[in-house]
Amino acid sequence: MLETKIFMDEKPKLKNPVCLVGLPGIGNIGRIAIGYMVHQLKAKKFANLYSPYFFPFVMIHNNMIHTLKNEFYYCKYKGKDLILLIGDCQTYDPKGHYEIAGKILEFLNSLGCKQIITVGGFGTGKVSEEPKVYGVVSDTDMIKEYKKFGINFDIEGQIGTIVGASGLLVGLAKLYELKGVVLLGETTGFPIITDPTAAEAVLGVLEKILKIKIDLSKLDEKVKAMHDFIKKLEDIQKQAIEQMKKEKKPEELKYIG
Amino acid sequence: MLETKIFMDEKPKLKNPVCLVGLPGIGNIGRIAIGYMVHQLKAKKFANLYSPYFFPFVMIHNNMIHTLKNEFYYCKYKGKDLILLIGDCQTYDPKGHYEIAGKILEFLNSLGCKQIITVGGFGTGKVSEEPKVYGVVSDTDMIKEYKKFGINFDIEGQIGTIVGASGLLVGLAKLYELKGVVLLGETTGFPIITDPTAAEAVLGVLEKILKIKIDLSKLDEKVKAMHDFIKKLEDIQKQAIEQMKKEKKPEELKYIG
Amino acid sequence: MLETKIFMDEKPKLKNPVCLVGLPGIGNIGRIAIGYMVHQLKAKKFANLYSPYFFPFVMIHNNMIHTLKNEFYYCKYKGKDLILLIGDCQTYDPKGHYEIAGKILEFLNSLGCKQIITVGGFGTGKVSEEPKVYGVVSDTDMIKEYKKFGINFDIEGQIGTIVGASGLLVGLAKLYELKGVVLLGETTGFPIITDPTAAEAVLGVLEKILKIKIDLSKLDEKVKAMHDFIKKLEDIQKQAIEQMKKEKKPEELKYIG
Amino acid sequence: MLETKIFMDEKPKLKNPVCLVGLPGIGNIGRIAIGYMVHQLKAKKFANLYSPYFFPFVMIHNNMIHTLKNEFYYCKYKGKDLILLIGDCQTYDPKGHYEIAGKILEFLNSLGCKQIITVGGFGTGKVSEEPKVYGVVSDTDMIKEYKKFGINFDIEGQIGTIVGASGLLVGLAKLYELKGVVLLGETTGFPIITDPTAAEAVLGVLEKILKIKIDLSKLDEKVKAMHDFIKKLEDIQKQAIEQMKKEKKPEELKYIG
């Protein structure tokens, strides 16, 4: 595998689909928000993304191999077609971020998708009872459109950059004929595993944008379940790194000090 | 050489071949188990894999150049066609692991191979007189099938990840139309060069899976011989690294500190 | 995005265009000199360069996504056709420098451009009231031609290398059928953000080379404005790096220690 | 420039040419030996190799840009056709070594070259008045053939690896239909810039292999001249690295700590 590849199980017929992206990040807000939507909307998986820029190890789950990947789901909900992208990880490699973002956008373009909404976190350093949702857009005219949904558009001066997939997918969207918005859920930014309150705030905004209704009553329960899996995955990654450092295996004998 | 390449000396005609993989790793269990099979079954080499992701040095052996490589052998044993993959090293590079695994699986697919069995070690931190063999599979239905051969399928919770080729070859197998299993021989995990007892346990399981008989009487002797070669190779790699660090050669003047 | 790409909005019809390059570097001399020309000559943007070798983050500017890029402008000024290249950043990656320089030269060649002038800084360690402009050329015969414009050609012994885009674009120019010169404005070399005096000296030389007149009366004002933006961009990059280091995100779990 | 490229000025018609390689390395033995031959045999340059895996800076020499490269020369001497490869540097990158070696071998193959002789150094830790020349070959039958020329073939146990181009070019030669030998001049291995005595020993052996006569009377003088240039180039490389580390330029803000 020389480059990032997306393997499609099925090519769904979608009409003006909107893509929602929830990958691991600060507070894992996107991951649990979009992961919850996948579950509640009974979305169907139709493609997997594998990348040589993911860690070169596999995990063991119920005696089965689990290879690190990102997953594409779709659903049709009251005339609205959605593509949902969730995953185990982001890449650890700067160049890999561009490769993966480009592959995803190319793929979405091929599915007729014109709009992408990525979900991330915006660490403020303090706990908020009613976290805000901030927006950053690819095209000026989107600000007016999205303000209606309760998205906050006055973050100038407070935050400077968005690192990784959430930002790049929207930042490069135009090159692949998509428009995009990043939704940033306000969160503490402390190293917590998941922030369900911020995820709920984002889900509230997504309901308005997509004009759909998501039953949030099982969110806490589901987040609890996801929390355990996510924590295990993060711990395993950290352990594996430590293990690799200790074992003095060929992998460690890097050519240039 | 821009990417990993497999050079074929001969294209063997094989019928439903099973591929066995034994590359360097914890206790070098796979390497000595499959290396012993190559010897005992008088398997014939038919292809070499070279990679820009291997160390950029050559070794000297009897005044001859020895370039780092992985080697493909085949044999036909009582109507059973086998491909055996052994090698000097794994890559030191995360991305390289994906490239090499992909090239191997692509190659096996082109040879009509539908099943891959990789052999690795599972470090428990203690010495076992009768080491178990653990299994991790690519498809659920394989668990039932392989349980019959004395493979242990209850490692959940004990080990989280498999690093490198053994894991990735099975983890990516499906994408190349193969099914796979990782056999993990129980071993101490201490930095020992070779663990022949664990290798013997794995060979016992392979005999059952493949319905073949391997004369194990020369295992100790062969492992002794291989042990010396493997140790030399490992020492040389370590020396070369140290030498490169000391020499202040152009290689050392890495652009970014 | 697997490699550096230039996206063209419009293909301008240019006659023997000369390309002027001002990318970030010592004292940001090129950046402010060529950035000022873009403004004064009302040059029109016609293409953007994106690269997987730029940092994998986006910036937020007026609630809009700002993706790191280099920008191509053109203008026709008194029968003289110019291409002006400015940008947010250079790559942090050694190999990336070659890829990006090659892509730019290939692109210029496709536009019929035969001459490239890059602008950089030459740090002397002392403050100069009337900074000199030094020249380094791709072809011997250019020395005589450019001496007429007040360019200093006696830097041998004082400076040994030119790191990054300014040097490589001229160093590789011949391979893409261009001739080139690097103009180095004398500057202190201390870590200052911008050196408008050196930039003015370079602009004076460019006026002579191109036989054009640039109104320098607004330089200080414009440099002040650019200074703030450049500083913000540099600060944000530094912050982002620090932030990434602290957050212990997947990006940080680099495979090999 | 996405990958290593060889630019040919002229395609020489050569009959069974032998390629001699002298790139920087321990004691720069190959570099001065083959560099001296280029001069003495009045060999003509016909191609340049550039690589994105070389340092991303250019040098200034007589107000001209000097881009790092490797150079191919050829000469016809008493019915013997020779290709001579010398250069400013080797790559600093492990993967780059494979890419560059592959490109060189592919190029030699396209010129009908079937034999490659690379020259390196073998550091013993002591000063030798009459340094030996050791040989390492790609094919067993070459040992007998080359022993006649006074090459020492009993280095087993003394040296384990050959790092970089000299080794890889011979180690990968077979894959490109060439045979090869590495000639290693015995040298102290201390960090000296050039070892003309070892170079002379290698030239003596090359005279026998190629059945040519090289006037060695100007060796000391030429080595003195080359010594200065080589030292300057090495110093400049080291300075540039240090400079880059200090300047806190964008290049330094590497994404992952």
Side-chain angles (χ1 to χ4, degrees):
Chain A
M1 188 174 283
L2 290 159
E3 58 184 59
T4 303
K5 274 191 193 169
I6 296 170
F7 293 83
M8 226 185 325
D9 296 326
E10 171 199 355
K11 180 162 183 175
K13 283 188 186 162
L14 301 170
K15 202 180 152 188
N16 295 325
V18 174
C19 180
L20 309 177
V21 181
L23 294 171
I26 306 172
N28 284 306
I29 297 166
R31 192 176 186 175
I32 58 180
I34 309 304
Y36 185 70
M37 281 182 71
V38 165
H39 183 265
Q40 288 302 107
L41 302 178
K42 297 185 177 45
K44 192 180 173 199
K45 185 155 90 163
F46 71 102
N48 290 299
L49 176 151
Y50 297 88
S51 176
Y53 288 113
F54 289 162
F55 283 112
F57 55 67
V58 295
M59 289 183 297
I60 302 175
H61 191 70
N62 295 329
N63 302 302
M64 299 274 292
I65 285 271
H66 179 94
T67 312
L68 296 171
K69 59 181 174 293
N70 288 180
E71 298 168 306
F72 292 86
Y73 291 79
Y74 76 94
C75 70
K76 292 164 171 288
Y77 181 88
K78 295 188 180 172
K80 194 93 198 165
D81 287 4
L82 299 179
I83 297 168
L84 303 104
L85 173 59
I86 57 177
D88 299 315
C89 58
Q90 291 196 27
T91 177
Y92 57 83
D93 185 281
K95 187 165 182 282
H97 272 302
Y98 278 91
E99 176 171 313
I100 293 167
K103 290 282 182 182
I104 291 171
L105 290 166
E106 203 173 68
F107 182 60
L108 292 176
N109 178 294
S110 78
L111 293 168
C113 178
K114 298 287 179 207
Q115 196 182 354
I116 185 167
I117 300 171
T118 66
V119 180
F122 169 21
T124 58
K126 55 185 183 188
V127 177
S128 172
E129 294 289 315
E130 289 188 37
K132 290 178 187 165
V133 175
Y134 294 91
V136 187
V137 297
S138 64
D139 295 80
T140 324
D141 59 338
M142 298 173 77
I143 297 178
K144 198 179 156 195
E145 185 191 342
Y146 278 87
K147 258 187 183 160
K148 295 181 291 185
F149 307 123
I151 300 172
N152 199 313
F153 278 103
D154 55 356
I155 57 173
E156 185 67 15
Q158 296 190 61
I159 182 172
T161 55
I162 306 168
V163 179
S166 306
L168 272 187
L169 282 169
V170 174
L172 299 172
K174 270 191 193 181
L175 307 177
Y176 299 85
E177 296 165 35
L178 280 91
K179 287 186 168 192
V181 61
V182 191
L183 298 183
L184 296 164
E186 190 186 8
T187 185
T188 66
F190 296 136
I192 54 167
I193 297 297
T194 54
D195 183 343
T197 316
E200 189 169 342
V202 170
L203 284 168
V205 166
L206 285 173
E207 282 186 311
K208 289 178 199 160
I209 295 175
L210 303 168
K211 294 172 186 56
I212 62 175
K213 191 71 202 159
I214 303 162
D215 174 8
L216 295 172
S217 66
K218 291 175 191 162
L219 182 61
D220 281 347
E221 176 193 336
K222 279 288 156 196
V223 167
K224 178 77 182 60
M226 280 191 279
H227 178 286
D228 290 350
F229 178 77
I230 292 166
K231 186 161 174 8
K232 192 180 166 186
L233 200 151
E234 287 193 2
D235 287 349
I236 280 174
Q237 291 193 8
K238 282 179 196 169
Q239 270 173 41
I241 303 302
E242 290 309 312
Q243 192 179 328
M244 285 185 287
K245 283 185 185 168
K246 271 182 216 148
E247 269 167 18
K248 303 267 177 209
K249 295 206 306 185
E251 283 85 355
E252 227 186 350
L253 301 170
K254 189 138 196 233
Y255 179 44
I256 294 164
Chain B
M1 187 173 283
L2 290 160
E3 58 184 58
T4 304
K5 274 191 193 171
I6 296 171
F7 293 83
M8 228 187 321
D9 296 326
E10 170 199 355
K11 180 162 183 174
K13 282 187 186 162
L14 302 169
K15 203 180 151 188
N16 295 326
V18 173
C19 180
L20 310 176
V21 180
L23 294 171
I26 306 172
N28 283 307
I29 296 166
R31 191 176 186 173
I32 59 180
I34 309 304
Y36 185 71
M37 281 183 70
V38 165
H39 183 265
Q40 287 303 107
L41 301 178
K42 297 183 177 48
K44 192 180 172 199
K45 186 156 90 165
F46 71 102
N48 291 300
L49 177 151
Y50 297 88
S51 176
Y53 287 113
F54 289 162
F55 282 112
F57 56 67
V58 295
M59 289 183 297
I60 302 174
H61 191 68
N62 296 329
N63 303 302
M64 299 273 293
I65 284 271
H66 179 93
T67 311
L68 295 171
K69 60 180 172 294
N70 288 180
E71 299 168 306
F72 292 87
Y73 291 79
Y74 75 95
C75 70
K76 292 164 171 288
Y77 181 88
K78 294 188 181 172
K80 193 95 198 166
D81 288 2
L82 299 178
I83 298 168
L84 304 104
L85 172 60
I86 56 177
D88 298 315
C89 58
Q90 291 197 27
T91 178
Y92 57 83
D93 184 280
K95 188 166 182 283
H97 272 302
Y98 278 91
E99 176 170 314
I100 293 167
K103 289 282 182 182
I104 291 170
L105 291 165
E106 203 173 69
F107 181 61
L108 292 177
N109 177 294
S110 79
L111 294 168
C113 177
K114 300 286 179 208
Q115 196 182 354
I116 187 167
I117 301 171
T118 67
V119 180
F122 169 21
T124 58
K126 57 185 182 188
V127 177
S128 172
E129 293 290 316
E130 288 189 37
K132 288 179 187 166
V133 175
Y134 294 91
V136 187
V137 297
S138 63
D139 295 80
T140 325
D141 59 338
M142 298 174 77
I143 297 178
K144 198 179 157 196
E145 184 191 341
Y146 278 86
K147 258 187 183 160
K148 294 181 290 186
F149 308 122
I151 300 172
N152 199 313
F153 279 103
D154 55 357
I155 57 174
E156 184 67 13
Q158 295 191 62
I159 182 172
T161 55
I162 306 169
V163 179
S166 307
L168 272 188
L169 282 169
V170 175
L172 300 173
K174 271 191 193 181
L175 307 178
Y176 299 85
E177 295 165 36
L178 280 90
K179 286 185 168 192
V181 61
V182 191
L183 298 183
L184 296 164
E186 190 187 7
T187 185
T188 67
F190 296 136
I192 54 167
I193 298 297
T194 55
D195 183 343
T197 317
E200 189 170 340
V202 170
L203 283 168
V205 165
L206 285 173
E207 282 185 312
K208 287 179 198 158
I209 294 174
L210 302 169
K211 295 175 186 54
I212 62 174
K213 190 73 202 158
I214 303 161
D215 174 8
L216 296 171
S217 66
K218 291 175 191 163
L219 181 61
D220 281 347
E221 176 193 335
K222 281 287 157 195
V223 167
K224 179 77 181 60
M226 280 192 279
H227 178 286
D228 291 351
F229 178 78
I230 292 167
K231 185 161 176 10
K232 192 180 166 188
L233 200 151
E234 287 193 1
D235 288 349
I236 280 174
Q237 291 194 7
K238 282 179 197 169
Q239 270 172 41
I241 303 302
E242 290 308 312
Q243 193 180 328
M244 285 185 287
K245 283 186 184 168
K246 272 182 216 148
E247 268 168 17
K248 302 267 177 209
K249 294 206 307 184
E251 284 85 355
E252 227 186 349
L253 301 170
K254 186 134 197 237
Y255 180 44
I256 294 162
Chain C
M1 188 174 282
L2 290 159
E3 58 184 59
T4 303
K5 274 190 193 170
I6 296 171
F7 293 83
M8 225 184 328
D9 297 324
E10 171 199 354
K11 180 163 184 175
K13 282 188 185 162
L14 301 169
K15 201 179 153 189
N16 296 326
V18 174
C19 180
L20 309 177
V21 180
L23 294 171
I26 306 172
N28 284 307
I29 297 166
R31 191 176 186 174
I32 58 179
I34 308 304
Y36 186 69
M37 281 182 70
V38 165
H39 184 264
Q40 288 302 108
L41 301 178
K42 297 183 177 49
K44 192 180 172 198
K45 186 155 91 163
F46 71 102
N48 290 300
L49 177 151
Y50 297 87
S51 175
Y53 287 113
F54 289 162
F55 283 112
F57 56 67
V58 295
M59 289 183 298
I60 302 175
H61 191 70
N62 295 329
N63 302 303
M64 299 273 293
I65 285 271
H66 179 93
T67 312
L68 296 171
K69 58 180 175 294
N70 289 180
E71 299 168 305
F72 291 87
Y73 292 80
Y74 76 94
C75 69
K76 291 164 171 289
Y77 182 87
K78 294 188 181 174
K80 194 93 198 166
D81 287 4
L82 298 179
I83 297 167
L84 303 104
L85 172 59
I86 57 177
D88 299 315
C89 59
Q90 290 196 28
T91 177
Y92 58 83
D93 185 280
K95 188 165 182 283
H97 272 302
Y98 278 91
E99 177 170 314
I100 293 167
K103 289 283 181 181
I104 291 171
L105 290 165
E106 203 172 70
F107 182 60
L108 293 177
N109 178 294
S110 78
L111 294 168
C113 178
K114 298 287 179 208
Q115 196 181 352
I116 185 167
I117 301 173
T118 66
V119 180
F122 169 20
T124 58
K126 57 185 182 186
V127 177
S128 173
E129 293 290 315
E130 290 189 36
K132 288 179 188 165
V133 176
Y134 294 91
V136 187
V137 296
S138 64
D139 295 81
T140 326
D141 59 338
M142 298 174 76
I143 297 178
K144 198 178 156 196
E145 186 191 341
Y146 278 87
K147 257 187 183 161
K148 293 181 291 185
F149 308 122
I151 301 172
N152 199 313
F153 279 103
D154 56 354
I155 56 173
E156 183 67 14
Q158 296 191 61
I159 182 172
T161 54
I162 305 169
V163 179
S166 306
L168 272 188
L169 282 170
V170 174
L172 299 173
K174 271 191 193 181
L175 308 177
Y176 298 86
E177 295 166 36
L178 280 91
K179 287 185 167 193
V181 60
V182 191
L183 298 183
L184 296 164
E186 191 186 6
T187 185
T188 67
F190 296 137
I192 55 168
I193 298 295
T194 54
D195 183 343
T197 316
E200 188 170 342
V202 169
L203 284 168
V205 166
L206 285 173
E207 282 186 310
K208 288 179 198 158
I209 295 174
L210 303 169
K211 294 173 188 56
I212 62 174
K213 191 71 201 158
I214 303 162
D215 175 8
L216 296 172
S217 66
K218 290 174 191 163
L219 182 60
D220 281 347
E221 176 194 334
K222 280 288 157 195
V223 167
K224 179 76 182 61
M226 280 192 279
H227 178 285
D228 290 350
F229 178 77
I230 292 167
K231 188 164 173 8
K232 191 181 166 186
L233 199 151
E234 287 193 2
D235 288 349
I236 280 174
Q237 291 194 8
K238 283 179 197 168
Q239 272 172 39
I241 303 302
E242 290 309 312
Q243 193 180 329
M244 286 186 286
K245 283 186 185 168
K246 272 181 215 148
E247 267 168 18
K248 303 268 177 209
K249 294 208 307 185
E251 284 84 355
E252 227 185 351
L253 301 170
K254 188 139 195 231
Y255 179 46
I256 294 164
Chain D
M1 188 175 283
L2 290 160
E3 58 184 59
T4 303
K5 274 191 193 170
I6 296 170
F7 293 83
M8 228 188 321
D9 297 325
E10 172 199 351
K11 180 162 184 175
K13 283 187 186 163
L14 301 169
K15 202 181 152 188
N16 296 325
V18 174
C19 179
L20 310 176
V21 181
L23 294 171
I26 306 172
N28 283 307
I29 297 167
R31 191 175 187 175
I32 59 180
I34 308 305
Y36 186 70
M37 281 183 71
V38 165
H39 183 265
Q40 287 304 107
L41 301 178
K42 297 182 177 51
K44 192 180 171 198
K45 185 155 90 165
F46 71 101
N48 290 300
L49 176 151
Y50 297 88
S51 175
Y53 286 113
F54 290 162
F55 283 112
F57 56 67
V58 294
M59 288 184 297
I60 302 174
H61 191 68
N62 295 329
N63 303 301
M64 299 273 293
I65 285 272
H66 180 93
T67 311
L68 295 171
K69 60 179 173 295
N70 289 180
E71 299 168 307
F72 291 87
Y73 291 80
Y74 76 94
C75 70
K76 292 165 172 288
Y77 181 87
K78 295 189 180 172
K80 194 92 200 166
D81 288 4
L82 299 178
I83 297 168
L84 303 104
L85 173 60
I86 57 178
D88 298 316
C89 59
Q90 291 197 27
T91 177
Y92 57 84
D93 184 281
K95 188 165 182 284
H97 272 301
Y98 277 91
E99 176 170 314
I100 293 167
K103 289 282 181 182
I104 291 171
L105 290 165
E106 203 172 68
F107 182 61
L108 293 177
N109 178 294
S110 79
L111 294 167
C113 178
K114 299 286 179 208
Q115 197 183 352
I116 186 167
I117 300 172
T118 67
V119 180
F122 169 20
T124 58
K126 56 184 183 188
V127 177
S128 173
E129 293 289 316
E130 290 189 36
K132 288 179 188 166
V133 175
Y134 294 91
V136 188
V137 297
S138 64
D139 294 82
T140 325
D141 59 338
M142 297 174 77
I143 297 177
K144 198 180 156 195
E145 185 190 342
Y146 278 86
K147 256 187 184 159
K148 293 181 293 187
F149 308 122
I151 300 172
N152 199 313
F153 279 103
D154 55 356
I155 56 173
E156 183 66 13
Q158 297 191 60
I159 182 172
T161 55
I162 305 168
V163 179
S166 307
L168 272 188
L169 282 169
V170 175
L172 300 172
K174 271 190 194 182
L175 308 177
Y176 299 86
E177 295 166 36
L178 281 91
K179 286 186 168 192
V181 60
V182 190
L183 298 183
L184 296 164
E186 190 187 7
T187 186
T188 66
F190 296 137
I192 53 168
I193 298 296
T194 54
D195 184 342
T197 317
E200 189 170 341
V202 169
L203 283 168
V205 166
L206 285 173
E207 282 186 311
K208 287 178 198 159
I209 294 174
L210 303 169
K211 294 175 187 54
I212 61 174
K213 191 71 202 158
I214 303 162
D215 175 6
L216 295 172
S217 65
K218 291 176 191 162
L219 182 61
D220 282 347
E221 177 193 334
K222 280 287 157 196
V223 167
K224 179 76 182 60
M226 280 192 279
H227 178 285
D228 290 352
F229 178 77
I230 292 166
K231 186 162 175 9
K232 192 181 165 186
L233 200 152
E234 288 194 0
D235 287 349
I236 279 174
Q237 292 194 6
K238 283 180 196 169
Q239 271 172 41
I241 303 302
E242 290 309 312
Q243 192 180 329
M244 285 185 286
K245 283 185 185 168
K246 272 182 214 148
E247 267 168 18
K248 302 268 177 208
K249 294 206 307 184
E251 284 85 354
E252 228 185 349
L253 301 170
K254 190 143 193 226
Y255 180 46
I256 294 163

